[in-house]
Amino acid sequence: MTFMLDPIRRARLRVAEKITDLVGDTPIVRLPAFERCTPGVELWAKCEFLNPGGSVKDRAAYQMIRDAIRTGLLKPGQSIIDSTSGNTGVAYSLIGGALGFPVTLVMPGNVSWARRKITEAYGTKLIFSDPMEGSDGAIRLCRKIVDENPGAYFYPDQYSNLSNPLAHYNGTGREIWEQTEGRVTHFVTGIGTSGTVMGVGRRLKEYRHDIEVWAVEPSDALHGLEGLKHMESSLVPAIYHPAELDGVISMDTDEAWDVSERLAKEEGLLVGHSSGASLAGGLRLAKKLVAADKPGVVVTLFPDRAERYFEAPVQPKPAETT
Ligand SMILES: Cc1ncc(COP(=O)(O)O)c(C=O)c1O
């Protein structure tokens, strides 16, 4: 028996012609356990870990590659290359695979085992930079490879590429506005390239200029919040314009990790530490509203899942097994 689905049900069931059609339009979820300490202030999280590549970076990668094909910067026969601490690499690998472009990634030698395995499984070539030089070392090595091989690569350079924030202006920001039916009062998220906060911020402030947009930044250079950047000690992304934001929240690793643990145990959300950092920032804003006896709808964003950071089990040495 065949039948026609009505368009609303078809959209809800997300019947897609190809995997790239499933990038974006992620759900938003309320956080009732955390709301118990913010009476009168709603807390919501955009579930970016539900993108097909498992992170928010699917959006930026897809927009950058689509725009490059459209403008002729990426041609058949070329490879995509970029420096990435992981999630963008997974996103390039997925989209490169779906659209038929080989992918090369330059990443610090100490990225998690899980992310190496995931990107390699897509057929991506990995080149490792000095782990002591962090993500900036990967950026420098990537630029060197591109310079030494003219015409071989398309280098999206997510730190300078305007398509990165545009993905969030066109998608994430609009979706948050629609999903909260225009009630959002605050948006807060961590900064890596800053594409998410800049793009969402621009869109939301266009809808209503008094919506507050805050970035969360690790409090020191040697932090444990993978995916986020401590700007003072980093190469500052060209797309980052802090003057457009209402402020930047400095976040300790411990506080963010505590919130991540609570998210798993109290809300059933097993998300990465940058999600904990974003919500910890949201909680600070919400508590300020509560203290001032003001209502609010605070939206934060969960970039990826915790499993992405799980390490391979260490095999016990024979002597230890007896
Ligand atoms: C885990 C994680 N959280 C947050 C971010 C920050 O996103 P954006 O680069 O849009 O600032 C990233 C970016 O790579 C990430 O991987």
Side-chain angles (χ1 to χ4, degrees), residues 103-145:
V103 178
T104 298
L105 299 175
V106 186
M107 49 175 80
N110 57 348
V111 298
S112 79
W113 169 86
R115 291 215 236 165
R116 286 185 194 201
K117 297 308 280 182
I118 296 166
T119 44
E120 278 175 338
Y122 281 105
T124 290
K125 182 178 166 195
L126 305 187
I127 297 172
F128 295 107
S129 59
D130 185 345
M132 297 308 288
E133 292 183 24
S135 57
D136 288 349
I139 295 171
R140 282 189 288 265
L141 179 58
C142 183
R143 287 180 183 164
K144 186 166 170 276
I145 294 167

Side-chain angles (χ1 to χ4, degrees), residues 18 20 29 47 66 97 108-109 113-114 140 146 155 170 177 181 233-234 273 318:
K18 53 188 187 304
T20 45
V29 65
C47 299
R66 241 181 333 175
W113 169 86
R140 282 189 288 265
V146 173
Y155 173 34
N170 288 339
W177 175 255
E181 294 169 317
S233 59
S234 307
H273 289 135

Side-chain angles (χ1 to χ4, degrees), residues 54-57 60 84-89 115 158-159 164-165 168 189-199 216 225-229 231 237 239-240 272-275 278 301-305 308-309:
S55 91
V56 66
K57 301 307 301 199
T84 166
S85 62
N87 279 333
T88 315
R115 291 215 236 165
Q158 54 166 339
Y159 294 93
N164 175 0
H168 300 285
T189 194
I191 33 175
T193 65
S194 80
T196 309
V197 77
M198 298 311 309
V216 175
L225 302 173
E226 213 179 310
L228 303 191
K229 238 181 197 300
M231 289 296 174
I239 58 171
Y240 182 46
H273 289 135
S274 77
S275 305
S278 297
L301 182 144
F302 293 164
D304 64 3
R305 287 182 195 280
R308 194 143 278 186
Y309 304 94

Side-chain angles (χ1 to χ4, degrees), residues 33 51 94 114 214 249:
N51 277 299
L94 181 148
W214 292 74
I249 297 169

Side-chain angles (χ1 to χ4, degrees), residues 92-309:
Y92 287 137
S93 301
L94 181 148
I95 290 158
L99 302 183
F101 291 97
V103 178
T104 298
L105 299 175
V106 186
M107 49 175 80
N110 57 348
V111 298
S112 79
W113 169 86
R115 291 215 236 165
R116 286 185 194 201
K117 297 308 280 182
I118 296 166
T119 44
E120 278 175 338
Y122 281 105
T124 290
K125 182 178 166 195
L126 305 187
I127 297 172
F128 295 107
S129 59
D130 185 345
M132 297 308 288
E133 292 183 24
S135 57
D136 288 349
I139 295 171
R140 282 189 288 265
L141 179 58
C142 183
R143 287 180 183 164
K144 186 166 170 276
I145 294 167
V146 173
D147 289 345
E148 287 172 356
N149 297 279
Y153 294 108
F154 165 61
Y155 173 34
D157 186 7
Q158 54 166 339
Y159 294 93
S160 316
N161 193 323
L162 294 176
S163 301
N164 175 0
L166 186 65
H168 300 285
Y169 176 88
N170 288 339
T172 329
R174 177 180 169 196
E175 292 161 32
I176 289 169
W177 175 255
E178 290 171 343
Q179 286 169 320
T180 60
E181 294 169 317
R183 295 182 317 112
V184 54
T185 60
H186 294 68
F187 175 71
V188 53
T189 194
I191 33 175
T193 65
S194 80
T196 309
V197 77
M198 298 311 309
V200 171
R202 275 176 204 145
R203 187 67 183 241
L204 291 180
K205 282 180 182 289
E206 242 174 56
Y207 286 120
R208 243 195 21 241
H209 66 89
D210 62 342
I211 295 175
E212 290 191 26
V213 178
W214 292 74
V216 175
E217 182 186 1
S219 56
D220 62 299
L222 293 174
H223 61 87
L225 302 173
E226 213 179 310
L228 303 191
K229 238 181 197 300
H230 177 250
M231 289 296 174
E232 207 184 294
S233 59
S234 307
L235 291 173
V236 177
I239 58 171
Y240 182 46
H241 300 292
E244 291 180 33
L245 306 173
D246 291 278
V248 178
I249 297 169
S250 175
M251 184 55 59
D252 288 341
T253 296
D254 284 352
E255 186 177 339
W257 283 31
D258 286 349
V259 171
S260 310
E261 266 175 42
R262 283 189 58 201
L263 272 167
K265 289 177 181 153
E266 298 174 33
E267 302 277 8
L269 280 155
L270 189 62
V271 285
H273 289 135
S274 77
S275 305
S278 297
L279 178 58
L283 283 168
R284 287 204 211 162
L285 297 177
K287 284 175 184 167
K288 259 201 239 165
L289 288 170
V290 174
D293 211 12
K294 286 186 181 160
V297 176
V298 176
V299 177
T300 185
L301 182 144
F302 293 164
D304 64 3
R305 287 182 195 280
E307 294 97 296
R308 194 143 278 186
Y309 304 94

Side-chain angles (χ1 to χ4, degrees), residues 5-15:
L5 272 175
D6 77 74
I8 294 173
R9 185 76 184 135
R10 189 178 156 90
R12 199 176 151 73
L13 290 172
R14 307 198 71 195
V15 180

